[in-house]
Amino acid sequence: MKKKLLYIIDTFHPEYASTGQLMTEMAQYLQDDFNITVIVGTPKYGVDGGDQYSKGTFFYEKFENINIVRVKTPDVDKSSKISRVKHILGHFINAFRATFRVDKPDMIYVISQPPILGGLLGRITKLFRGGKLIYNIQDFNPEQAEAIGYIKKKWLVKLARAFDNHTIRSADQIIVVGRDMQMRLNDRVKALHPDKVEVINNWIHEEFVKPCTNCCGKEHNEYYHKYNVSEKFTIMYSGNLGLYYDLENIINVIGGFRDYKDLQFIFVGDGVHKKTLVDYCDIENITNVEFYDYVPKAEVQCSINSAHVHLVTNQKGIKGVSVPSKIYGVLAVGKPVLGVLEKGSEAAMIIDDASCGKYVEPQDYKGIKSLIEWFYNNPDKADEMGKKGRSYLEKNLKMEKSLNKYKELLIGLMNE
């Protein structure tokens, strides 16, 4: 008889957010080996749910062989801390209520989103419903919020960290998504048994997301034409325009290239800082920066293939706290990485290992300017870097490799 695996997460199919896509692909991969139920909020990132979630609190759906219980959560204004807190608490309360509407799990899988409470949901579900707890730390909090000054009260930081450390100690298995995060975990929680912690990289579906030369070709890529790439050297940022990437300052550097008529910057995605970026470009009359909404998953390959170079960035202090998943997509399409990353971070180590780009430290704005100039002036060398990135991914970071690690880990955990 298949074991019951319960996911309690914040995004899932059909959402475009990277974490939602990762969780969906993992559940699809495991659905033949486990009876899977997913408790998740109603769609929000790039998806219009229409009126189907307007009435009620719990909504029952099926995706392939996966049972889904969606829970209603308050709408969120990401520019408001109060709105964020209401949204997170609403999700926490209703997701916990939903755990009593599903079968008792053999295993509970949670991620570190929403911050702190994502892990705590797993802890209390284990307490009340039983089952082994797997805690996947995609981001360390409160460190992430602390790094950007979002939380300034020291007592609140200490309290949040204490709650999260409690979840870590009570979990049966911890999974982190980067080598730097494993080091952060060891520093944060002493005396963890090595067998309790596993590093499993995030991924991209490399058979689905690949260089255009292997699929449609430039002449048939609608985004290549939509973004006007044939006439301009294009640097793209594709993903969350949120709090943790210093984009509100990097846009000032980009503004210095406004007179480069054959150079453009494309931002694809949404987030709390999008309006700030758009307003800056409007006020400063910067015409070589364009903004586009999230691209449907089926079209992501063509979108990210369209750029010559991809910007991958994290804020200062994020090393060991978070890994930008967008780097896997960049490697998959064979494009070079213009990194704004701390040396020793997982993304920076990938760039070093693969020789697939160049990077400077966060807040080194002169360095960012110099990197943009280097890529602009050396397109052939940049192209070679991109090819090396694809080769590295095929050898070391295939989706099946990561998913097999999850499968083996979960089966092994149930057999203990």
Side-chain angles (χ1 to χ4, degrees):
M1 186 182 227
K2 292 181 184 178
K3 297 296 184 180
K4 298 181 180 69
L5 173 58
L6 175 64
Y7 285 80
I8 311 176
I9 51 183
D10 67 336
T11 63
F12 195 71
H13 172 85
E15 296 185 86
Y16 304 152
S18 60
T19 306
Q21 292 188 38
L22 290 169
M23 295 300 104
T24 301
E25 288 167 349
M26 189 199 310
Q28 287 176 293
Y29 190 82
L30 298 174
Q31 63 184 325
D32 292 334
D33 299 283
F34 301 92
N35 284 322
I36 297 178
T37 299
V38 176
I39 295 175
V40 65
T42 53
K44 48 190 177 295
Y45 293 110
V47 177
D48 181 6
D51 295 330
Q52 62 178 312
Y53 304 114
S54 60
K55 295 180 180 179
T57 303
F58 305 101
F59 309 90
Y60 300 88
E61 301 172 5
K62 191 93 171 178
F63 173 63
E64 298 183 3
N65 295 324
I66 302 161
N67 296 305
I68 302 174
V69 182
R70 296 198 184 274
V71 299
K72 191 72 171 287
T73 54
D75 292 336
V76 60
D77 173 5
K78 290 193 172 183
S79 63
S80 166
K81 288 184 180 180
I82 293 175
S83 178
R84 280 175 176 263
V85 169
K86 286 181 178 179
H87 175 79
I88 290 171
L89 287 177
H91 173 82
F92 180 86
I93 292 167
N94 287 333
F96 180 59
R97 290 172 62 195
T99 63
F100 293 94
R101 292 172 170 258
V102 302
D103 292 338
K104 290 186 67 173
D106 297 300
M107 289 182 289
I108 306 155
Y109 182 98
V110 295
I111 63 175
S112 53
Q113 298 167 4
I116 307 302
L117 296 185
L120 194 57
L121 263 172
R123 173 69 185 107
I124 64 172
T125 301
K126 176 181 178 178
L127 185 63
F128 284 89
R129 305 287 341 254
K132 293 187 175 182
L133 175 60
I134 301 99
Y135 186 23
N136 178 201
I137 302 175
Q138 292 281 334
D139 311 287
F140 274 110
N141 271 295
E143 286 88 343
Q144 194 175 45
E146 189 179 21
I148 61 166
Y150 196 74
I151 299 178
K152 294 185 172 65
K153 292 182 172 60
K154 295 297 183 183
W155 67 267
L156 186 57
V157 169
K158 290 181 179 180
L159 181 64
R161 189 177 289 116
F163 273 123
D164 201 47
N165 286 350
H166 175 70
T167 299
I168 289 168
R169 291 190 180 96
S170 63
D172 297 280
Q173 184 71 50
I174 304 294
I175 299 165
V176 292
V177 297
R179 291 162 284 181
D180 58 338
M181 293 182 70
Q182 184 178 32
M183 290 185 280
R184 170 80 65 158
L185 178 64
N186 291 337
D187 288 341
R188 201 222 256 194
V189 183
K190 305 298 183 184
L192 274 179
H193 195 285
D195 291 344
K196 190 176 179 178
V197 182
E198 188 79 20
V199 179
I200 304 180
N201 290 94
N202 286 338
W203 61 86
I204 194 76
H205 197 321
E206 76 283 345
E207 293 300 319
F208 177 75
V209 180
K210 53 190 175 182
C212 262
T213 51
N214 297 347
C215 55
C216 60
K218 291 179 181 178
E219 66 274 14
H220 300 300
N221 182 342
E222 64 175 288
Y223 285 95
Y224 189 81
H225 302 290
K226 180 177 180 178
Y227 299 153
N228 199 26
V229 176
S230 61
E231 298 180 10
K232 297 182 178 182
F233 188 82
T234 301
I235 298 175
M236 177 182 286
Y237 177 95
S238 182
N240 190 336
L241 307 176
L243 294 170
Y244 307 111
Y245 310 106
D246 199 29
L247 295 173
E248 70 277 18
N249 290 313
I250 292 173
I251 196 71
N252 296 331
V253 178
I254 289 172
F257 292 88
R258 73 188 74 201
D259 295 329
Y260 286 58
K261 301 305 180 185
D262 58 346
L263 170 64
Q264 68 173 347
F265 300 85
I266 300 288
F267 289 85
V268 181
D270 204 351
V272 67
H273 278 312
K274 184 172 185 176
K275 186 177 186 304
T276 301
L277 305 180
V278 172
D279 288 348
Y280 174 82
C281 292
D282 288 343
I283 292 169
E284 298 295 326
N285 194 30
I286 300 170
T287 59
N288 62 342
V289 179
E290 299 288 343
F291 296 89
Y292 295 89
D293 292 333
Y294 276 114
V295 172
K297 182 179 179 180
E299 300 173 18
V300 164
Q301 171 176 260
C302 289
S303 176
I304 60 178
N305 254 297
S306 300
H308 295 95
V309 178
H310 277 268
L311 175 64
V312 176
T313 177
N314 257 344
Q315 179 60 279
K316 191 176 183 64
I318 298 296
K319 182 176 76 172
V321 172
S322 179
V323 178
S325 290
K326 64 176 63 63
I327 193 169
Y328 302 107
V330 179
L331 296 177
V333 296
K335 300 295 180 178
V337 180
L338 193 168
V340 184
L341 304 158
E342 291 172 282
K343 187 172 181 60
S345 65
E346 178 67 24
M349 285 192 282
I350 288 173
I351 294 172
D352 287 335
D353 293 344
S355 300
C356 63
K358 291 176 174 286
Y359 63 91
V360 295
E361 292 284 326
Q363 300 179 12
D364 178 3
Y365 303 116
K366 288 183 179 179
I368 296 170
K369 180 177 182 292
S370 295
L371 271 193
I372 293 173
E373 290 171 342
W374 187 91
F375 279 104
Y376 173 73
N377 290 317
N378 296 276
D380 292 338
K381 290 181 180 179
D383 189 55
E384 286 303 311
M385 287 178 172
K387 292 175 182 177
K388 289 179 181 179
R390 174 71 193 194
S391 296
Y392 180 83
L393 180 136
E394 290 177 349
K395 292 176 183 176
N396 302 282
L397 296 170
K398 281 190 172 183
M399 181 177 82
E400 188 171 12
K401 183 175 182 178
S402 289
L403 292 177
N404 265 330
K405 285 185 178 180
Y406 274 105
K407 181 177 176 178
E408 291 170 3
L409 184 148
L410 293 174
I411 290 174
L413 195 60
M414 286 313 307
N415 291 334
E416 287 181 356

